[in-house]
Amino acid sequence: MSSIPKEHDYIGLSEAPSMEKISDKLSSSSSTLSTEENINSKSSSTSLNLKETELRLGLPGSQSPERKLILPAAGVSLFGKDIDTNSTNGYPLGPLKNLVSGVKRGFSDAIVGSSGKWVFSGSNGSEKSCVAGPAKKDDVAQSPKPVLEKNSQVAAANENSSAPAAKAQVVGWPPIRSFRKNTMASSLVKNNEDVEGKSGYGCLYVKVSMDGAPYLRKVDLKTYNNYLDLSSALEKMFSCFTIGQCGSHGLRGQDGLTESRLKDILHGSEYVLTYEDKDGDWMLVGDVPWDMFTDSCRRLRIMKGSEAIGLAPRAMEKCKNRN
Amino acid sequence: MGPNPKMRKEFFDSTRSSPFPDEVLERVLSLLKSHKDLSPEIVARRFPRVKSVTLKGKPRFSDFNLVPENWGADVHPWLVVFAAKYPFLEELRLKRMAVSDESLEFLAINFPNFKVLSLLSCDGFSTDGLAAIATHCKNLTQLDIHENGIDDKSGSWLSCFPENFTSLEVLNFANLNTDVNFDALERLVSRCKSLKVLKASKSISLEHLQRLLVCAPQLIELGTGSLMPELTACQYAQLENAFNQLKNLSTLSGLWEASAPYLPVLYPACTNLTFLNLSYAFLQSHELESLLCQCPHLRRLWVLDTVGDKGLEAVGSNCPLLEELRVFPADPFDEEVIHGVTEAGFLAVSYGCRRLHYVLYFCRQMTNAAVATIVQNCPDFTHFRLCIMNPGQPDYVTNEPMDEAFGAVVRTCTKLQRLSVSGLLTDLTFEYIGQYAKNLETLSVAFAGSSDRGMQCMLEGCPKLRKLEIRDCPFGNAALLSGLEKYESMRSLWMSACNVTMNGCRLLAREMPRLNVEVMKDDGSDDSQADKVYVYRSVVGPRRDAPPCVLTLSGL
């Protein structure tokens, strides 16, 4: 196991001791984080490979200037490695506030006064931190372990035993009658088959992966109206992981990226939001009007900035052609 | 002998002298709520003439697969006694009973006046049983087959109604999937001039629907079939016209595979709608909104969470008379999907729908603050069923338990009769419930509480508590035994995956001889654990139809 995850303080870079305790618990106990079955990870990107998820704004090796917050992300990573203040990998943040101290801040906040509700609360050592979204997989101390489909043991409810992989369903929960469950299940399969990556009636599910995060999520693009909504949702979804900037650049000016802004973004951020379009090309999110994006997006990936550099030329091309 | 039915009997007692003529008395419903376990023989002795019976069998958690399949609640012994004692039985409504094809056939043949059959959440029968009903029940007025575990073999049962059969008023086969003979259905609908309720299944296409509506413009309740697109422009116009004729429609449901382009055909029929059931239609927010604009008198609305918070905002804006809202999850088991509704949607509804008193809400996130505001806006809740789908999830903004949310509910909603709690909850929630929920009758608890004290609070407070169902909570023997006297005034207690042991159950049974304490064990569990416990009053001792996996500890 690599180092115990510690939490980051954006500004001061000091570790919050309280979080350390939690981190200990997480890594030593049956943390669900480490037992997820649906880990979509390259071998290096497990929850404990922290370097990948280190929170930074700058690209490796760069010193990031004090910047106005149009970007990223405030996300505290439970998996994050401690930042060595002397590291040459430098620092970022400037105005980003410390999530740990309980201030909720997200990149969408910075953009337009959005609610920026972070699910991750820094509340000092609360064991319940980082519980929404993926949180369902965390061990919350007070609640007994749900009875699982197989091996339902009452005794088990009292142990702090590891919940088997997140995929296992709890019997009879949520409380929905079988008839409805079965009907929904077959309708959904149908919907998803029809609309796999395409626009169709009903929903438009696309997978969202984040480099370094242990599992995928899925979102229904039809539930969002614009890039702002999408980025808020992604922000919440991946708040437990470090998240660099996610597509916020798409929010400025509905007419898409300009070349100079694009450059700003790439130099300023660790993560960018990208998508695979129907031609199979990976594009930066935000470079086309929203409707065009939802039409062509097959899946999303929160990619490390360094890898996204390669996308820039194509995006630049498109910008130039458009402008 | 017999299942554990809760019987409601509407009966006419011929031994009472009365100034009213028989016909009037027969229609006066003397509702007798008898909540003790009874046997058919006892019932027949006490109530000499009965025309209408409602039987509810299994514990509610059987809907969620928590009760062994062969647990009991077989209707057959009841039918045998009824055939002897109430040969003129007219109505039978069954909920969570085990019903076989043989029983249905027995019913069809032995009760010449039989008129009304309603089966909800029952299992054990197939469409063959329906065929027997259709074939033999010459006076049938209602056939309501709703959300059952039915073996749907074929649609041929519908063709069994004789050609001279005309009395049908209610036909609900919405939950069957196999194709029926459409021509037979069309003829049936045409000749049953009193048909008021027609709920068709998915197998009925738009084109079929149009033909049916033409035959039955008098419908009050309609369940459409599938709204999959397959109409020509001309057919579309005809359909629109057919809906235009439905001036009396108060309930609309079905809308399987609802497709946006076809929703507008419904609009003309929506003016008088009071109940709109969209819980099987994958609608988006704007589609819902357009539909709601057509329904100024809506009182009850069931939707899927595909409509999102935006859709619920539309509800708040367009449904000032709304009294009941149910929001079901479209995809409850896919944890990867961030979808559905949040506290924002519920809030929006509460601002716009001040008369709301019944809510069933499935969501993935909630806050204490939102719930407090919601009940301030709508203090008249009688039924508050909130399901935060992730077990033990706290307030997602503050990370605190959801105690204050439910505290606000019970403090503010003094008329509350039914409550389902969820999210991360400590004993404090139950202190609040015990202290404030003076009218509470039904309480459902899952993945909640910190200690025995939680359950004790519920049992010591809540003077009107009738049904308590608990799963996956840290309540043990001390909690179970704190309610001894209370259980006699309650209908039933269910506890599963808690910390109750066999010894605790034996003690309970010994102390309270008038209770049946049933224990069901899970495969492979520890001998001393009582995995599932079901406690109810009984005057007849252990029921004899319990399978081996159900152990009844009784003091009698």
Side-chain angles (χ1 to χ4, degrees), chain A residues 212-242:
Chain A
Y215 49 84
L216 289 186
R217 309 307 298 261
K218 272 195 274 189
V219 295
D220 175 2
L221 288 183
K222 287 215 163 173
T223 60
Y224 311 113
N225 296 320
N226 50 48
Y227 288 114
L228 178 59
D229 290 350
L230 174 63
S231 67
S232 297
L234 290 178
E235 172 186 336
K236 285 178 186 163
M237 206 184 304
F238 286 97
S239 62
C240 287
F241 313 121
T242 352

Side-chain angles (χ1 to χ4, degrees), chain B residues 14-239:
Chain B
S14 61
T15 60
R16 260 196 254 148
S17 64
S18 153
F20 297 110
D22 284 0
E23 305 82 60
V24 172
L25 276 174
E26 279 171 18
R27 277 153 177 75
V28 170
L29 302 178
S30 300
L31 202 67
L32 190 86
K33 291 189 187 182
S34 170
H35 306 309
K36 300 182 200 287
D37 181 29
L38 297 164
S39 66
E41 292 82 7
I42 288 183
V43 167
R45 211 160 45 232
R46 283 179 66 180
F47 306 108
R49 278 176 61 170
V50 168
K51 283 187 179 316
S52 164
V53 171
T54 300
L55 289 175
K56 297 181 183 179
K58 304 181 196 179
R60 191 176 77 98
F61 278 0
S62 73
D63 283 350
F64 317 128
N65 300 328
L66 289 179
V67 175
E69 259 185 44
N70 54 350
W71 181 86
D74 186 355
V75 74
H76 205 82
W78 292 86
L79 295 179
V80 169
V81 170
F82 291 162
K85 304 287 185 176
Y86 308 135
F88 299 109
L89 186 71
E90 293 182 6
E91 304 182 3
L92 186 65
R93 294 180 173 83
L94 303 180
K95 187 170 182 183
R96 292 191 201 103
M97 300 283 296
V99 179
S100 65
D101 287 341
E102 290 70 34
S103 295
L104 290 175
E105 191 167 355
F106 184 89
L107 175 66
I109 293 174
N110 289 284
F111 299 89
N113 270 12
F114 195 70
K115 297 194 163 90
V116 170
L117 178 64
S118 167
L119 300 174
L120 170 58
S121 214
C122 297
D123 58 17
F125 63 106
S126 77
T127 40
D128 291 348
L130 299 185
I133 298 286
T135 304
H136 300 290
C137 296
K138 310 262 180 281
N139 295 310
L140 198 69
T141 60
Q142 295 189 25
L143 182 60
D144 186 355
I145 308 300
H146 191 56
E147 293 202 350
N148 299 288
I150 182 176
D151 181 6
D152 193 351
K153 294 176 177 175
S154 101
S156 58
W157 60 274
L158 191 116
S159 309
C160 293
F161 285 108
E163 289 297 326
N164 62 352
F165 169 77
T166 59
S167 50
L168 207 58
E169 295 169 21
V170 172
L171 178 61
N172 175 7
F173 63 102
N175 301 144
L176 298 175
N177 290 326
T178 48
D179 288 351
V180 296
N181 178 321
F182 180 71
D183 289 334
L185 176 61
E186 193 179 16
R187 286 197 304 275
L188 178 67
V189 169
S190 300
R191 64 180 185 268
C192 293
K193 301 294 181 204
S194 305
L195 193 69
K196 295 276 182 295
V197 175
L198 175 63
K199 296 188 182 173
S201 67
K202 265 193 259 194
S203 67
I204 301 298
S205 67
L206 277 178
E207 198 192 333
H208 285 165
L209 182 62
Q210 187 265 332
R211 285 164 60 183
L212 291 176
L213 293 183
V214 163
C215 302
Q218 76 281 6
L219 286 179
I220 293 184
E221 296 184 22
L222 173 67
T224 69
S226 164
L227 287 197
M228 280 297 286
E230 21 165 295
L231 296 182
T232 65
C234 173
Q235 287 170 325
Y236 183 97
Q238 283 179 325
L239 185 60

Side-chain angles (χ1 to χ4, degrees), chain A residues 104 121 128 131 136 144 146-147 153-154 158 166 170-173 176-177 179-181 188 202 217-218 220, chain B residues 63-64 147 175 279 284 330-331 333-336 338-339 389-390 397 399 424 471-472 497-499 531:
Chain A
K104 299 177 177 61
S121 160
K128 307 176 204 83
V131 285
K136 51 189 73 104
V147 172
Q153 304 266 357
V154 172
N158 295 325
V170 176
V171 175
W173 189 267
I176 295 167
R177 282 195 187 135
F179 175 82
R180 176 174 289 282
K181 264 192 320 202
L188 272 173
R217 309 307 298 261
K218 272 195 274 189
D220 175 2
Chain B
D63 283 350
F64 317 128
E147 293 202 350
N175 301 144
S279 64
Q284 302 286 302
D331 196 357
F333 303 107
D334 188 343
E335 294 176 347
E336 291 182 347
I338 297 299
H339 195 284
M389 287 191 275
N390 180 26
V397 168
N399 269 325
L424 178 67
R471 61 165 294 177
D472 294 90
C498 297
N499 294 341
D531 304 313

